[in-house]
Amino acid sequence: MDKAQAQTISAIRVLAAETVQRANSGHPGIALGAAPMAYALWESMTHCPKNPDFFNRDRFVLSAGHGSSLLYSLLHVFGYGVTKEDLMNFRQLRSRTPGHPEIECTPGVETSTGPLGQGVANAVGFALAESALAAKYNKDGLNIVDHYTYALCGDGCMMEGIESEAASLAGTWKLGKLIVLYDSNDISIEGNTGIAFTEDVMKRHEAQGWQVIKVNDGEDVDAIQAAIKIAKDEKNKPSLIVVRTTIGFGSPKAGSADAHGAPLGDEGVETLKKNLGYKAKPFEVTGEVFKHMAGVIDELNKSESEWNKIVKAYKAKYPEDYERFNAEIKNKPQSAEQLYNAVKPTDKVDASRSYSGMILNQLADALPNLIGGSADLAPSNKTNLKGKGDYGANDRTGRNIHFGVREHAMAAICNGVALHGGFSVFCSTFFVFTDYMKNAMRMSAIMNLPVTYILTHDSIGVGEDGPTHQPIEQLVSLRSTPNIKVFRPCDCRETAAAYVSALSGKGPTAIVCSRQNLEYFEVSEDADPLKGGYIFADSDKEVPDVILIATGSEIGVTMHAYEQLKAAGVAARVVSMPCMELFEQQTAKYRESVLPAAVRARVAVEAGSSLCWGKYVGLDGACVCMDGFGCSAPANKLFEIYGFTTENIVKVATKVLRANR
Amino acid sequence: MDKAQAQTISAIRVLAAETVQRANSGHPGIALGAAPMAYALWESMTHCPKNPDFFNRDRFVLSAGHGSSLLYSLLHVFGYGVTKEDLMNFRQLRSRTPGHPEIECTPGVETSTGPLGQGVANAVGFALAESALAAKYNKDGLNIVDHYTYALCGDGCMMEGIESEAASLAGTWKLGKLIVLYDSNDISIEGNTGIAFTEDVMKRHEAQGWQVIKVNDGEDVDAIQAAIKIAKDEKNKPSLIVVRTTIGFGSPKAGSADAHGAPLGDEGVETLKKNLGYKAKPFEVTGEVFKHMAGVIDELNKSESEWNKIVKAYKAKYPEDYERFNAEIKNKPQSAEQLYNAVKPTDKVDASRSYSGMILNQLADALPNLIGGSADLAPSNKTNLKGKGDYGANDRTGRNIHFGVREHAMAAICNGVALHGGFSVFCSTFFVFTDYMKNAMRMSAIMNLPVTYILTHDSIGVGEDGPTHQPIEQLVSLRSTPNIKVFRPCDCRETAAAYVSALSGKGPTAIVCSRQNLEYFEVSEDADPLKGGYIFADSDKEVPDVILIATGSEIGVTMHAYEQLKAAGVAARVVSMPCMELFEQQTAKYRESVLPAAVRARVAVEAGSSLCWGKYVGLDGACVCMDGFGCSAPANKLFEIYGFTTENIVKVATKVLRANR
């Protein structure tokens, strides 16, 4: 390490500490401890400050997202356009430097992080996408896709189960271009990691198929860069570089848990500068650092033009491939019309998971960049893409991904794939097990990533497997999560619409499918599931007496109740509400046409928690829902004992009608 | 292995296969593969069929809960009173043999399982509780608590991150009396585990501090029993016994993924019997098996009387300790009155997390069996029990448990502690990270376990940490989960009530606390938070013009709006709703007195998703809620920009009032 490098690392440390100090909020500990490894990496990594979106850049994920001040300081000194003022506005309203890294806010941020372990799994997704896209497009030494993926994580990430899941998959998939730097400082918030974390992390990763390299001195930039070199040279295993550091290095709180999550104080920052022998005005860098970095940045900026040469040659030789490649890496949503042309719904009586499987396969034929898989339930989820091969170390072009029983890593890996670009990605499990992966789904939602979640075995329709396998509250849980569209289709037509919405829109979509067969009903040609809620069956009266609102598998029994009410002279309407979020986006006029405010006699029918239905049935309506756990029995028995019968719905509707007369 | 043992194993296999076949639903694969190890264990384990609840029994957890037919067959042949008829009613409505094991349904079932990995973490909780209770009570060789905890798991459990978290903690805690049998058959639902699971599970567990023993032939009962002996002899490490088996052993589907989750067919069952050389009528056991098991059961039943001798001596020598012990292992809820006597609320302005910390410590002084901890956030969650020591390998009597950053295992371990008996247990993390542990919380709810969840850093009040750390939808998610009481207290009095409810009631409780300070308001003496919802402030009019319903941190701003409305001559009422679930349990008359049906002008104020408020504000009211993600900024800024201001609430209330005139 030369003096200029050392000075630059001091600059990064001091900037991060000043940033946290000014905001009076943030995490200086990791920034001070991990600055040398971060600098060492960023100096040797392939990236292009003048164009942060240059496609073939190495990806860098700060899995320990609380180290955001380190990342912003790096972005500042590496010329990404994060200014002094940005650093001074750290954690303030609408600044470019929020508390944890957010993709929409800051150039050079590859993924939003903060919840621990997610970033490592995102990085596995980046590396998977890179390997798959490279296998698909690289030809004759013209490697238009050829980059590494790096993650920086701390002890917290290493303790989370999602890290173990993701590491196990990365090892199985032999993702040789994935490199994780582990800031190992023996400290977490409650004190020394010895109280809760004595495992041998190196040995665990070796067991999970990784190359593991140790750097004993986290201040030794040359040793860190040498380790990165060894990691890059290993093509058949992901690499973990364990770097031993001191949390809060250089500050009065060095080596203590107190350094983790609170500002150092003005005096602490002064002491830090003194200890580092670093002299600059607040939020400034020294002339030496500026000059050194100008050279480094110039060098880094060349990487794009080198890639452009390869692209040019590729384009000349393979113009059609290039066109497809270029279209796919832009991750542009498909047009709804094209998608509708690709799918052929059926009116055959079947389970919506089967409709889903059929449509997914039709779409896989039409969209060569559609990939995905299940958490070891593909045969039940019906998500196998027929004839599309299995992704793995031996065939990177396979489009079926086997995630094993690892829901949480699965979803977070899909986030990484979606962020990387090049693929439209889906994943799947039993609906109840969204509870294992909720935080990763939330990250899809926060980042507005177009990940398609195929969630089968909905509600008590699961039957014999019992309450642990019967989702009751999961619909409400996902509907309350901003930015996710939740579809619960009642037939093949609605299932097709759910896929069209998922692949033509922004943000994540959950498609909730039944295990059991659904009844089929003819609907009018105007009926448009993409409105989210629409009139499924109606009376002759302009304003109905009673409105039955149902979704998914409960449309069947609701239609029977409707018919019985009709026969009794009641003007009933059935509204199918496959996607509340889309319904809410319609005009007030449209919503009024479906659910006239004047009609207070309303009944919601859904085999899930009633908690979300108050907004539609109000104080005068009623719900036929599941507000307790189910039990183990054949599904038809369960629908019967929990009141999802024609008789009960008619009874509830009649009661509501009377009360509202 | 002698012939009678072999016959008995065949009997267990055939019973399990017949059970699944008759139900036409279930999982024969694991039952056939793991029958020998299950038999070997149950023969050598300390348990007492004639009294399944005998306290000092070894605990057995079937973490691979889909193997329920194996467990029921074991319970049948081991004389637990699970009858032939019970087996024939497998997976039928209200049978004692549901699809996955459920504690309330079947004698001898220690925990409800099914979602993979949960059972291993439950077992860690059992072992922790055993070690802590033993350290607390055993004296002078009079070991009134002295048992092992066993779990049986498969490849699926091993892939889940929660297993890795739990294994890491068990190793750190050196839980020498925890023994996990791993049914390793290389098959999961999507095929050979090689496609998704190539990690070296043995080496990983060694890295996590376990003793690992391998049995190469899963048919070799003697080898399995020898391995169990070695495991029991290791006092300082948990043990993993890897048993190599064949899924679906003896059936035509042996060794294939098809054996996992579908009945064998009548012919398949016949072939199985033929291959095993086992002849008995359906659902019968041979005379030889019956005779052999009579002897085994007699022997097992002696274990209780041996323990009773120790207890008798202990009782004579330490009558007071015995009395406390006996009271504590019954897990009887505390009386609300006693709890209220133990807590001293304050009217000091503070954050509810601080109120929570104060009350928790008051309760810890009053209740010597209260233990728990945080997922590495104790200083922030304020859950440190002062002067109560740290639980660990060196001090089993410490009452602070350091879970590390492992939310999912934490909650599932607490389920195990609650199931074991002897302790009242709590755990804690940031509210947003309930998303990491939701399935374990759901298991608390399904089993109605009295686990107290202390969830701090509620809503956008988190401020600078930004959207990844600001829970928005988590209130709705937990409120929609049956059996959980969700408290969001607005002051110290309500926080105390939440704890009283948690420790005096059944089932899990979530106490959601603010990071920021809350305003203090005087309320009338009648105001009872344990009603769930109550009049916090009122007008002189008997029926108010408008009702403002608020919870937690939004009571403050709502009270200011109330005062402004009052000054403008509007008869407003403020309802505090700290716990919707308790409010719903009140009489219709009480609920009408708080929320009169005639008052349609209602506004809900809560910095969380509005999805759950429709049921209280109806079609004519309005919500001041958070239906999008927050952002990073100081909390006061966020409350302002998202409309949690006096002005906005007054504006919304006025609009609602006008519309309802």
Side-chain angles (χ1 to χ4, degrees):
Chain A
M1 176 165 60
D2 65 28
K3 204 174 145 240
Q5 287 176 316
Q7 275 262 327
T8 306
I9 291 164
S10 294
I12 292 166
R13 283 175 157 145
V14 170
L15 286 171
E18 287 172 343
T19 294
V20 171
Q21 184 56 33
R22 186 178 160 94
N24 197 25
S25 169
H27 301 79
I30 181 177
L32 297 176
M37 75 177 86
Y39 174 81
L41 174 61
W42 278 47
E43 196 189 69
S44 56
M45 187 167 84
T46 299
H47 57 138
C48 182
K50 74 174 174 189
N51 178 15
D53 295 332
F54 146 57
F55 186 74
N56 202 42
R57 69 193 179 276
D58 290 343
R59 304 303 197 267
F60 173 77
V61 175
L62 183 68
S63 188
H66 54 281
S68 56
S69 63
L70 169 61
L71 181 55
Y72 301 144
S73 299
L74 283 167
L75 289 166
H76 178 63
V77 302
F78 276 84
Y80 271 77
V82 171
T83 65
K84 175 182 163 182
E85 287 67 36
D86 291 330
L87 296 182
M88 293 173 76
N89 277 321
F90 182 54
R91 295 187 155 225
Q92 303 309 302
L93 190 61
R94 294 183 193 109
S95 81
R96 299 213 299 171
T97 48
H100 290 81
E102 298 182 32
I103 43 165
E104 298 284 331
C105 294
T106 323
V109 170
E110 300 283 2
T111 173
S112 300
T113 51
L116 295 175
Q118 298 289 333
V120 175
N122 293 166
V124 173
F126 279 110
L128 182 153
E130 193 270 349
S131 72
L133 205 59
K136 191 171 169 185
Y137 284 109
N138 292 351
K139 291 174 205 276
D140 303 337
L142 293 172
N143 292 348
I144 53 171
V145 183
D146 185 7
H147 69 79
Y148 288 86
T149 300
Y150 296 94
L152 196 163
C153 73
D155 289 298
C157 289
M158 284 299 177
M159 294 190 226
E160 290 285 5
I162 188 176
E163 197 281 335
S164 185
E165 292 180 0
S168 186
L169 278 171
T172 296
W173 292 333
K174 301 187 196 296
L175 292 172
K177 291 164 90 176
L178 172 67
I179 299 170
V180 174
L181 284 83
Y182 167 29
D183 173 38
S184 169
N185 60 30
D186 291 344
I187 296 292
S188 65
I189 292 175
E190 293 183 5
N192 192 289
T193 51
I195 58 173
F197 191 49
T198 56
E199 75 174 48
D200 182 337
V201 176
M202 295 179 63
K203 189 171 170 181
R204 167 162 69 82
H205 281 79
E206 281 168 6
Q208 292 176 320
W210 289 53
Q211 169 181 234
V212 180
I213 307 155
K214 191 170 184 185
V215 176
N216 284 313
D217 178 5
E219 297 300 303
D220 187 343
V221 167
D222 297 333
I224 295 165
Q225 289 185 335
I228 292 170
K229 176 78 175 53
I230 296 169
K232 288 171 78 170
D233 287 347
E234 169 61 68
K235 305 289 184 208
N236 277 310
K237 287 177 176 183
S239 292
L240 177 70
I241 304 176
V242 181
V243 186
R244 299 286 299 160
T245 64
T246 304
I247 191 170
F249 181 93
S251 80
K253 294 175 175 175
S256 125
D258 296 341
H260 167 76
L264 300 174
D266 286 324
E267 222 172 293
V269 175
E270 278 315 303
T271 308
L272 172 73
K273 289 170 93 162
K274 217 173 106 189
N275 289 348
L276 297 175
Y278 180 78
K279 283 176 194 159
K281 285 188 208 155
F283 293 98
E284 302 277 353
V285 300
T286 62
E288 188 179 357
V289 170
F290 188 84
K291 198 179 140 197
H292 168 68
M293 284 310 300
V296 170
I297 293 165
D298 266 359
E299 207 50 48
L300 292 173
N301 279 336
K302 288 179 191 161
S303 53
E304 188 179 13
S305 46
E306 278 160 32
W307 183 64
N308 284 339
K309 280 181 221 160
I310 299 171
V311 169
K312 202 175 158 188
Y314 188 95
K315 194 174 167 181
K317 202 163 170 189
Y318 307 105
E320 281 168 29
D321 289 293
Y322 176 75
E323 205 163 309
R324 272 198 300 134
F325 169 74
N326 204 35
E328 287 177 2
I329 65 172
K330 282 182 182 145
N331 268 14
K332 265 209 349 207
Q334 308 290 325
S335 89
E337 202 192 328
Q338 278 181 321
L339 291 166
Y340 262 130
N341 286 338
V343 298
K344 286 155 208 65
T346 172
D347 51 13
K348 196 184 118 199
V349 164
D350 213 331
S352 52
R353 62 173 168 148
S354 300
Y355 299 143
S356 165
M358 184 187 81
I359 290 161
L360 183 67
N361 270 281
Q362 291 167 354
L363 288 167
D365 288 335
L367 305 173
N369 72 333
L370 182 68
I371 63 172
S374 162
D376 196 40
L377 288 169
S380 297
N381 300 140
K382 311 276 186 194
T383 49
N384 187 40
L385 304 181
K386 288 175 200 96
K388 302 293 187 285
D390 293 335
Y391 173 85
N394 299 323
D395 179 11
R396 303 286 184 198
T397 65
R399 289 165 59 190
N400 289 288
I401 306 174
H402 298 281
F403 291 99
V405 191
R406 303 182 187 94
E407 298 81 7
H408 202 176
M410 171 175 75
I413 288 169
C414 288
N415 286 340
V417 172
L419 285 161
H420 182 273
F423 296 101
S424 179
V425 70
F426 68 88
C427 65
S428 187
T429 183
F430 285 166
F431 187 27
V432 80
F433 297 135
T434 50
D435 282 356
Y436 273 70
M437 61 182 185
K438 171 69 203 309
N439 192 267
M441 295 183 79
R442 187 172 205 260
M443 293 308 298
S444 306
I446 286 184
M447 293 191 269
N448 245 312
L449 300 176
V451 177
T452 303
Y453 290 93
I454 303 165
L455 307 165
T456 73
H457 292 62
D458 171 33
S459 89
I460 50 172
V462 167
E464 290 89 343
D465 274 343
T468 55
H469 284 58
Q470 293 164 0
I472 296 305
E473 72 275 26
Q474 283 67 19
L475 281 169
V476 174
S477 176
L478 294 189
R479 284 176 183 152
S480 64
T481 307
N483 300 354
I484 302 188
K485 282 170 292 179
V486 182
F487 277 89
R488 188 171 189 255
C490 76
D491 58 18
C492 192
R493 197 180 41 91
E494 287 190 1
T495 311
Y499 276 97
V500 168
S501 169
L503 297 179
S504 65
K506 277 186 71 178
T509 303
I511 306 178
V512 178
C513 296
S514 73
R515 171 179 185 251
Q516 76 276 22
N517 282 0
L518 304 180
E519 287 185 72
Y520 175 77
F521 301 90
E522 288 277 346
V523 288
S524 92
E525 292 229 339
D526 305 340
D528 181 4
L530 289 180
K531 290 269 200 283
Y534 62 95
I535 300 170
F536 194 86
D538 210 355
S539 74
D540 298 331
K541 259 174 95 171
E542 195 174 341
V543 177
D545 299 331
V546 62
I547 303 177
L548 309 176
I549 318 171
T551 75
S553 50
E554 282 68 73
I555 282 285
V557 68
T558 303
M559 283 297 290
H560 295 303
Y562 156 83
E563 280 151 15
Q564 210 170 98
L565 287 165
K566 201 172 164 184
V570 176
R573 169 181 292 181
V574 174
V575 169
S576 176
M577 182 83 82
C579 179
M580 282 186 182
E581 296 76 21
L582 286 186
F583 183 69
E584 291 299 317
Q585 287 170 19
Q586 306 307 315
T587 61
K589 193 179 156 197
Y590 175 79
R591 282 182 281 127
E592 169 68 20
S593 75
V594 176
L595 297 176
V599 183
R600 296 297 170 122
R602 301 172 175 200
V603 180
V605 188
E606 184 173 76
S609 163
S610 66
L611 203 63
C612 54
W613 285 104
K615 72 186 287 192
Y616 294 115
V617 302
L619 305 179
D620 305 304
C623 295
V624 177
C625 287
M626 278 298 294
D627 286 321
F629 292 113
C631 67
S632 170
N636 57 345
K637 288 271 178 200
L638 296 180
F639 282 110
E640 205 180 296
I641 62 164
Y642 293 119
F644 298 92
T645 60
T646 308
E647 294 64 36
N648 187 49
I649 296 168
V650 168
K651 198 176 105 188
V652 172
T654 308
K655 199 173 155 194
V656 164
L657 258 170
R658 265 197 218 119
N660 282 282
R661 223 159 246 164
Chain B
M1 174 164 63
D2 64 26
K3 203 175 144 238
Q5 287 175 316
Q7 275 263 325
T8 306
I9 291 165
S10 294
I12 292 166
R13 284 175 156 144
V14 169
L15 286 171
E18 287 172 342
T19 294
V20 171
Q21 184 58 31
R22 186 178 158 93
N24 197 25
S25 167
H27 300 79
I30 181 177
L32 297 176
M37 75 177 87
Y39 174 81
L41 173 62
W42 279 47
E43 195 190 69
S44 56
M45 186 168 83
T46 299
H47 57 137
C48 181
K50 74 174 174 189
N51 178 15
D53 295 331
F54 146 57
F55 186 75
N56 202 41
R57 69 193 179 277
D58 289 343
R59 304 302 197 268
F60 173 77
V61 175
L62 183 68
S63 188
H66 53 280
S68 56
S69 63
L70 169 62
L71 180 56
Y72 301 144
S73 300
L74 283 167
L75 288 166
H76 178 65
V77 302
F78 277 84
Y80 271 76
V82 170
T83 65
K84 174 182 163 183
E85 288 67 35
D86 291 329
L87 295 182
M88 293 172 77
N89 277 320
F90 182 54
R91 296 187 155 224
Q92 303 309 303
L93 190 61
R94 295 183 193 108
S95 81
R96 299 213 300 169
T97 48
H100 290 81
E102 298 182 32
I103 45 165
E104 298 285 331
C105 294
T106 323
V109 170
E110 300 283 3
T111 174
S112 300
T113 51
L116 294 175
Q118 298 289 333
V120 175
N122 293 166
V124 172
F126 279 110
L128 181 153
E130 192 269 349
S131 73
L133 205 61
K136 191 171 170 185
Y137 284 110
N138 292 351
K139 291 173 205 275
D140 304 337
L142 293 171
N143 292 348
I144 53 173
V145 184
D146 186 7
H147 69 78
Y148 288 86
T149 300
Y150 297 94
L152 196 162
C153 74
D155 289 298
C157 290
M158 285 298 176
M159 293 191 228
E160 289 286 4
I162 187 176
E163 196 281 335
S164 184
E165 292 180 1
S168 186
L169 279 170
T172 295
W173 292 333
K174 301 187 194 297
L175 293 173
K177 291 164 92 176
L178 172 67
I179 298 170
V180 174
L181 284 82
Y182 166 30
D183 173 38
S184 170
N185 61 30
D186 291 344
I187 297 292
S188 65
I189 293 174
E190 293 183 7
N192 191 289
T193 52
I195 58 171
F197 191 49
T198 56
E199 74 174 49
D200 182 337
V201 176
M202 294 178 64
K203 189 171 170 181
R204 167 162 69 83
H205 281 80
E206 281 168 7
Q208 293 176 319
W210 290 53
Q211 170 181 235
V212 180
I213 307 155
K214 191 169 183 184
V215 176
N216 283 313
D217 178 5
E219 297 300 303
D220 187 342
V221 168
D222 297 333
I224 296 165
Q225 289 186 333
I228 293 170
K229 176 78 174 54
I230 296 168
K232 289 171 78 170
D233 287 346
E234 169 61 67
K235 303 291 183 208
N236 277 310
K237 288 178 176 182
S239 292
L240 176 70
I241 304 176
V242 181
V243 186
R244 299 286 299 160
T245 63
T246 304
I247 192 170
F249 183 93
S251 81
K253 293 175 178 176
S256 124
D258 296 341
H260 167 76
L264 300 174
D266 286 324
E267 221 171 293
V269 175
E270 279 315 303
T271 309
L272 172 74
K273 289 171 93 161
K274 216 173 107 189
N275 288 347
L276 296 175
Y278 181 77
K279 283 177 194 158
K281 286 188 207 157
F283 294 97
E284 302 276 355
V285 300
T286 63
E288 188 179 357
V289 170
F290 189 83
K291 198 178 141 201
H292 168 68
M293 285 310 300
V296 170
I297 293 165
D298 267 359
E299 206 50 47
L300 292 174
N301 279 336
K302 288 178 190 160
S303 53
E304 187 178 15
S305 47
E306 277 158 34
W307 183 64
N308 284 340
K309 280 182 219 157
I310 300 170
V311 168
K312 201 175 160 191
Y314 188 95
K315 194 174 169 182
K317 204 164 170 190
Y318 306 105
E320 282 168 30
D321 289 294
Y322 176 76
E323 205 163 308
R324 272 197 300 134
F325 169 76
N326 205 34
E328 287 177 3
I329 64 172
K330 282 180 184 147
N331 268 12
K332 265 211 346 207
Q334 308 291 325
S335 90
E337 202 191 330
Q338 278 181 320
L339 291 165
Y340 262 129
N341 286 338
V343 299
K344 287 155 207 67
T346 172
D347 51 13
K348 197 185 117 199
V349 165
D350 213 333
S352 52
R353 62 173 167 148
S354 300
Y355 299 143
S356 165
M358 184 187 81
I359 290 161
L360 183 68
N361 270 280
Q362 291 167 354
L363 289 168
D365 287 337
L367 306 173
N369 72 333
L370 182 67
I371 63 171
S374 163
D376 196 41
L377 289 170
S380 297
N381 300 140
K382 311 276 186 194
T383 48
N384 187 41
L385 304 180
K386 287 175 200 96
K388 303 294 187 283
D390 293 334
Y391 173 86
N394 299 322
D395 180 10
R396 303 285 186 198
T397 65
R399 289 165 59 191
N400 289 288
I401 306 174
H402 298 282
F403 290 101
V405 192
R406 303 182 187 92
E407 298 81 7
H408 202 176
M410 171 174 76
I413 287 170
C414 288
N415 287 341
V417 172
L419 285 161
H420 182 272
F423 295 101
S424 178
V425 70
F426 69 89
C427 64
S428 187
T429 183
F430 286 165
F431 187 28
V432 79
F433 298 134
T434 51
D435 283 355
Y436 273 69
M437 61 183 186
K438 171 68 203 311
N439 192 267
M441 296 183 78
R442 187 172 207 259
M443 294 308 298
S444 306
I446 286 183
M447 293 191 270
N448 244 312
L449 299 176
V451 177
T452 303
Y453 290 93
I454 304 166
L455 306 165
T456 73
H457 292 62
D458 170 33
S459 89
I460 50 172
V462 166
E464 291 89 343
D465 273 344
T468 55
H469 285 56
Q470 293 163 0
I472 295 303
E473 71 275 26
Q474 283 68 18
L475 281 169
V476 174
S477 174
L478 294 189
R479 284 176 183 151
S480 62
T481 307
N483 299 355
I484 303 188
K485 281 170 294 182
V486 183
F487 277 88
R488 189 172 189 253
C490 75
D491 58 17
C492 192
R493 199 180 40 90
E494 286 190 1
T495 311
Y499 276 96
V500 168
S501 170
L503 298 179
S504 65
K506 277 186 70 176
T509 303
I511 306 179
V512 178
C513 296
S514 73
R515 171 179 184 250
Q516 76 276 22
N517 283 359
L518 304 180
E519 286 186 72
Y520 176 76
F521 300 90
E522 289 276 348
V523 288
S524 92
E525 292 228 338
D526 305 340
D528 182 3
L530 288 181
K531 290 268 199 286
Y534 62 96
I535 299 170
F536 194 85
D538 211 355
S539 73
D540 298 331
K541 261 174 95 172
E542 196 174 339
V543 177
D545 299 330
V546 61
I547 303 177
L548 310 175
I549 318 171
T551 74
S553 49
E554 282 68 74
I555 282 286
V557 69
T558 303
M559 282 298 289
H560 295 305
Y562 156 83
E563 281 151 14
Q564 211 171 97
L565 288 164
K566 201 172 162 184
V570 176
R573 169 181 291 181
V574 175
V575 169
S576 176
M577 183 83 82
C579 180
M580 281 186 183
E581 296 76 21
L582 286 185
F583 183 69
E584 291 298 318
Q585 288 171 18
Q586 307 306 316
T587 61
K589 193 178 156 196
Y590 176 79
R591 282 182 281 127
E592 169 69 19
S593 76
V594 176
L595 298 175
V599 183
R600 296 297 169 124
R602 301 172 175 199
V603 180
V605 188
E606 184 173 75
S609 162
S610 67
L611 203 64
C612 54
W613 285 104
K615 72 186 286 194
Y616 294 117
V617 302
L619 305 179
D620 305 304
C623 295
V624 177
C625 287
M626 278 297 295
D627 286 322
F629 293 113
C631 67
S632 170
N636 57 346
K637 289 271 179 200
L638 296 180
F639 283 111
E640 206 180 294
I641 64 166
Y642 293 120
F644 298 92
T645 61
T646 308
E647 294 65 37
N648 187 50
I649 296 167
V650 168
K651 199 177 103 189
V652 172
T654 309
K655 199 174 155 194
V656 164
L657 258 170
R658 265 194 220 122
N660 282 281
R661 220 159 248 163

